[in-house]
Amino acid sequence: RRSMSIMDRYRRLRPAPPPEEKPWQVPRGAAEPQSRQRAEDLDGFSADRGGAGAGAAAGVASSAAWRMPLAYAREPLPAEVRFCTFQPPVQPASPRSLRVGLVGPPNAGKSSLLNAVLDVPISAVSPKVNTTRDGLRGIKTSGNTQLVFLDAPGIIPSHQRQANRDLVTKAWRGFNECDICLLVIDVVKRPEQDVFDVVRRMCPQEDIGRSEVRRRRRAADEVGEAMPAVWLPRDAEGAEDEAFDGRAPEHRPPVVLVLNKIDKADELRWVQSREREFRAHGHFDKIFYVSAKKGQGIQRLMEHLKEKALPRPWTYPAEMRTDLPHADQIKHMVNTHLFKWFNSDVPYKIEHQTVGWTPRLDGSLLIEHELIVQDSIVARMILGVRNTIVSRLRDQVSYKLSKLWGTNVELKIWVRPLEQRLSLKDRGLGPSKDARRPPPPKDDRPPSKDVRRPQTMAP
């Protein structure tokens, strides 16, 4: 008969390690010398002041034996957190720079491509359209070359609203500011006519009137007569033949077609078919097959952009990743999960506000972020049952910020409703559990033939 259980034998062979001692848990024996020394100091101070304070010294000595965790008061946001400030960069021997614009229809993978190039999750990514509401810049510095990426909202309005039209205006502004444009297209989603209209506007095969001028010149050469000046456009009178070679004007940046999400395509021929479809509507400087999620084709795209870099000084320091201030970076991180987890228009109506920025003595950072929602019902949706959703959101954003900034970050998220509103269930007007239970199915089968009739007694 065994005298001990299997677990007792296991504990004897492999005893559990002692619990790790917390910084604020000081043993009673180790605290006594410090308490005695503190009491003696207070006694000397009280003797100098007239003997008052012996009771205070005893109280401090007794309380010093049990140290409590440090309490931090909330500090306001410093200016370097609310605004992006940096020193002028140190220029290399022969600096080169290039402004790259990321344009395309909504949900094509522009922000995913930017995160893959920078290797850090800076821009918000979600399956919903118009996740990127404001344009942001990502900086990639390699050697003596600095690439500045302009991530703009979708260049085609997803819905005919004033807010979406403003986003499209921002996208076209980013296209006009760049030196080279990356047109990001989803190879799996079939493009609509609006996409082809944008392609013909950005990089047309031939400007309007050039093909007609070429045809009239060819007809005049066959006859042997000089071409009348009235046949030429007003800005092309007296121009050389090179002005009509089909190239894009000087004010129009070259466009590179980036076919994204090739990992979702079943076969390569479907990707090549999408390429031929876009070649028929526009003239592209180069075409790349990439997958921002898997990291395929990113290296070839970066090498091409480095070759296109112009010899000019840098704009940002070499160690800088984005021009977004820290407060906006937190907003983008939180939006990434809110747009993924919540449906309908709930994520679009949430306002963000960073209310606390407290550095700690151990080098970590305590950030307090506030989500302002419409009413208390939406607040309960974001909090989840027993705050499970907001706790998960806090942990994931804290991890990503720690990885991005290189320091330990603890994020606290508060949800503040603008008004208190009771749901139907709170007011007792909602359906009860019995009412929500579906009724039993009706038995529509005909009665069986062998049903016996009730017997009647003979008179």
Side-chain angles (χ1 to χ4, degrees):
R1 187 176 180 180
R2 293 183 302 180
S3 60
M4 61 179 66
S5 63
I6 296 178
M7 292 304 300
D8 293 338
R9 290 175 178 269
Y10 183 79
R11 294 190 188 98
R12 177 172 293 184
L13 293 176
R14 301 189 63 177
E20 185 179 356
E21 188 175 302
K22 303 298 182 182
W24 57 81
Q25 294 177 348
V26 181
R28 187 182 294 256
E32 288 179 357
Q34 300 178 4
S35 304
R36 190 179 302 110
Q37 180 66 30
R38 178 63 176 165
E40 293 176 359
D41 295 342
L42 287 176
D43 287 342
F45 176 77
S46 60
D48 295 340
R49 290 299 182 99
V60 171
S62 61
S63 63
W66 302 95
R67 293 182 57 188
M68 299 296 294
L70 296 177
Y72 294 89
R74 176 189 293 178
E75 296 184 6
L77 270 68
E80 57 268 16
V81 174
R82 294 182 284 111
F83 307 101
C84 180
T85 59
F86 55 89
Q87 298 294 331
V90 179
Q91 303 293 340
S94 55
R96 298 169 62 87
S97 177
L98 186 69
R99 292 190 298 267
V100 185
L102 299 175
V103 298
N107 259 26
K110 301 180 291 297
S111 300
S112 301
L113 180 61
L114 176 62
N115 294 340
V117 168
L118 302 180
D119 199 19
V120 288
I122 290 179
S123 184
V125 178
S126 77
K128 291 185 176 59
V129 297
N130 295 132
T131 305
T132 304
R133 313 293 292 179
D134 301 317
L136 60 93
R137 298 172 185 261
I139 299 100
K140 179 72 173 181
T141 305
S142 177
N144 65 334
T145 305
Q146 184 175 87
L147 304 177
V148 181
F149 294 88
L150 312 177
D151 187 12
I155 207 165
I156 298 175
S158 56
H159 302 86
Q160 295 299 328
R161 299 177 183 174
Q162 181 63 32
N164 292 320
R165 289 195 291 268
D166 295 341
L167 295 178
V168 173
T169 304
K170 295 179 181 178
W172 280 111
R173 190 181 303 117
F175 170 73
N176 295 326
E177 292 177 358
C178 64
D179 300 322
I180 187 172
C181 177
L182 300 184
L183 179 61
V184 185
I185 299 296
D186 185 357
V187 297
V188 180
K189 185 178 180 182
R190 184 174 183 85
E192 299 179 354
Q193 186 61 35
D194 295 339
V195 179
F196 296 131
D197 294 342
V198 170
V199 171
R200 286 194 293 267
R201 181 179 174 184
M202 292 173 56
C203 50
Q205 290 282 9
E206 231 175 7
D207 282 351
I208 300 176
R210 292 192 177 187
S211 59
E212 181 66 20
V213 169
R214 187 177 292 107
R215 187 187 66 81
R216 292 181 181 182
R217 281 192 171 184
R218 191 161 45 245
D221 293 340
E222 292 176 359
V223 179
E225 298 180 355
M227 183 175 179
V230 294
W231 285 11
L232 291 175
R234 182 171 301 177
D235 56 349
E237 295 182 5
E240 299 294 335
D241 294 342
E242 288 79 5
F244 297 94
D245 60 353
R247 294 180 298 180
E250 295 181 359
H251 66 276
R252 183 181 297 151
V255 179
V256 175
L257 179 62
V258 179
L259 298 177
N260 192 19
K261 305 182 183 180
I262 61 173
D263 57 312
K264 295 185 177 180
D266 297 334
E267 298 180 9
L268 181 60
R269 57 174 181 166
W270 304 121
V271 182
Q272 296 174 347
S273 174
R274 191 73 69 208
E275 175 189 352
R276 292 192 297 268
E277 192 174 9
F278 275 88
R279 279 185 181 273
H281 292 85
H283 172 75
F284 302 101
D285 186 52
K286 208 169 181 62
I287 299 178
F288 291 92
Y289 299 166
V290 302
S291 173
K293 184 177 181 180
K294 303 292 184 180
Q296 302 174 1
I298 302 295
Q299 188 64 29
R300 292 182 53 199
L301 177 62
M302 294 298 297
E303 293 176 358
H304 175 73
L305 295 178
K306 290 179 182 178
E307 294 176 359
K308 294 291 184 178
L310 305 176
R312 63 185 177 195
W314 291 356
T315 308
Y316 302 96
E319 65 278 0
M320 197 170 179
R321 301 285 186 89
T322 178
D323 66 338
L324 283 178
H326 289 75
D328 290 345
Q329 294 181 29
I330 300 172
K331 175 183 175 181
H332 276 262
M333 294 286 185
V334 175
N335 272 339
T336 299
H337 300 282
L338 292 179
F339 275 83
K340 287 181 180 178
W341 295 348
F342 294 96
N343 297 325
S344 187
D345 58 344
V346 172
Y348 298 95
K349 297 181 179 179
I350 298 177
E351 299 181 4
H352 298 254
Q353 183 180 3
T354 305
V355 295
W357 189 277
T358 308
R360 289 176 171 173
L361 298 178
D362 57 352
S364 62
L365 184 62
L366 175 62
I367 302 175
E368 299 181 54
H369 192 73
E370 193 175 62
L371 302 179
I372 305 174
V373 297
Q374 185 176 2
D375 51 38
S376 57
I377 298 180
V378 181
R380 285 189 289 181
M381 292 171 52
I382 297 176
L383 291 174
V385 179
R386 298 182 181 178
N387 297 337
T388 53
I389 296 181
V390 73
S391 299
R392 183 182 173 191
L393 176 64
R394 176 196 60 203
D395 296 339
Q396 296 197 12
V397 176
S398 299
Y399 170 75
K400 290 185 178 181
L401 291 177
S402 301
K403 182 180 177 181
L404 177 61
W405 296 342
T407 183
N408 189 16
V409 177
E410 180 182 353
L411 179 67
K412 291 186 177 181
I413 299 179
W414 315 104
V415 182
R416 179 166 64 91
L418 295 179
E419 62 178 353
Q420 297 292 331
R421 187 164 65 94
L422 298 178
S423 62
L424 296 178
K425 183 178 179 181
D426 296 334
R427 290 181 287 178
L429 302 178
S432 61
K433 294 184 179 179
D434 297 335
R436 291 195 300 266
R437 186 178 304 166
K442 296 181 179 180
D443 192 1
D444 298 333
R445 294 176 299 178
S448 179
K449 295 182 180 180
D450 58 349
V451 176
R452 298 180 181 180
R453 297 180 179 179
Q455 297 181 1
T456 58
M457 297 179 64

